[in-house]
Amino acid sequence: MSKAVRIDRHGGPEELKIVDVEVGEPGPGEIRIRHKAVGLNFIDTYQRSGLYPFQMPLQLGMEASGVVEAVGEGVAHLKAGDRAAYASQPPGAYSELRVMPAKNVCKLPDAISFETGAAMMLKGLTTQYLLKKTLPAEGLQPGDFILFHAAAGGVGLIACQWAKALGLQLIGTAGSDAKCKLALEHGAAHAINYSTENFAARVKEITGGKGVKVVYDSVGKDTWEGSIDCLRPFGLLAVFGNGSGPVPPISLGTLASKGSLYVTRPTLFTHIATRESTQAMADDLFAVVQSGAVKIPIDQRYALADVQQAHRDLEARKTTGCTILTL
């Protein structure tokens, strides 16, 4: 038996219930893993609220770390006793124990703690595909300016550090002076408080009127119009989240008139669709963390029993960096 967090219908944090579930043996291509820590992400709130609808009942959670207890037929890259971490579908990480597909589960290097492993997989792999794979038509070179919204969040603070390591000048936005300071401390070249400043005007000022090659936007509805105005000709707007709500339809004529712009809506799960791509991206993430160039900031820890409060704080923008559930 395992304690797990489940919802029986879409709604607010009050729908999160802790239940006892029976966990069986892994089938072909599956493992059973006993979690040590679980990561929280904005996608969890989208699934809970119904923005991303699922069949009920739903056990939430997309990333965790722990120890493999058993492996099913055909699983060659893991064995019982291995330390492991993952970002994976289907949801189910908010639990003590689960059976799940092995494809996206990676061996966790001994030098990386379980808490760090749980906090970094979804957010770190997201940063990896953004900075390494979601690139403007002209590519990115050291010295280039990029704009990154929500720079003091879990993905944002990893991106600030990784962009600096790549020689990029990351302009971060955040909703308070304290969060802007945090982004600067983690490697952002510039930080803009978008609650008190016009971020598009400031970006043009910082870049000498040229704009940036790419905007990475997880805020969505509230920022996308300003994001378009920050781009130089042939620039790319990569909307990878909906923190303020989904982006409305965009006119192709707008992209033409503002400089032959590109727009994409990438997801992590397209990038980790195969075992090989998952491992290659994870190896890149593990290497940059072990080098010390990127540190994973865990700023909030909640017990599994306090998961409702964790969701309230996440949605109220009270959190910075990464948030985990401890077991």
Side-chain angles (χ1 to χ4, degrees), residues 114-129:
F114 284 118
E115 286 199 349
T116 298
M120 77 178 190
M121 291 300 286
L122 192 144
K123 290 172 279 288
L125 293 175
T126 296
T127 306
Q128 199 278 345
Y129 86 70

Side-chain angles (χ1 to χ4, degrees), residues 212-257:
V212 297
K213 282 187 173 181
V214 59
V215 179
Y216 297 112
D217 189 343
S218 63
V219 178
K221 180 171 69 72
D222 291 349
T223 51
W224 77 272
E225 283 194 53
S227 294
I228 289 279
D229 289 336
C230 291
L231 291 168
R232 60 190 285 179
F234 309 110
L236 170 67
L237 171 58
V239 180
F240 67 100
N242 312 291
S244 64
V247 172
I250 297 173
S251 165
L252 293 181
T254 299
L255 303 182
S257 65

Side-chain angles (χ1 to χ4, degrees), residues 102-117:
K103 180 181 70 174
N104 297 132
V105 184
C106 299
K107 286 181 69 172
L108 185 66
D110 291 340
I112 299 177
S113 72
F114 284 118
E115 286 199 349
T116 298

Side-chain angles (χ1 to χ4, degrees), residues 33-97:
I33 184 168
R34 185 167 295 277
H35 292 146
K36 297 291 188 180
V38 177
L40 268 74
N41 295 280
F42 247 98
I43 193 172
D44 305 344
T45 69
Y46 303 158
Q47 293 170 356
R48 188 211 70 227
S49 70
L51 179 63
Y52 295 171
F54 276 80
Q55 287 190 319
M56 297 292 125
L58 174 65
Q59 189 172 307
L60 288 172
M62 304 297 285
E63 70 175 342
S65 67
V67 177
V68 177
E69 284 194 347
V71 302
E73 182 184 347
V75 177
H77 68 287
L78 295 166
K79 64 182 186 303
D82 280 347
R83 302 170 79 251
Y86 65 85
S88 178
Q89 290 181 323
Y94 287 11
S95 61
E96 296 172 327
L97 185 70

Side-chain angles (χ1 to χ4, degrees), residues 124-166:
L125 293 175
T126 296
T127 306
Q128 199 278 345
Y129 86 70
L130 291 173
L131 295 181
K132 296 292 189 75
K133 298 184 175 185
T134 311
L135 302 175
E138 297 176 329
L140 287 175
Q141 289 80 39
D144 282 344
F145 286 101
I146 66 173
L147 178 63
F148 210 102
H149 288 303
V155 176
L157 291 184
I158 295 172
C160 287
Q161 299 172 78
W162 208 332
K164 183 178 181 181
L166 294 171

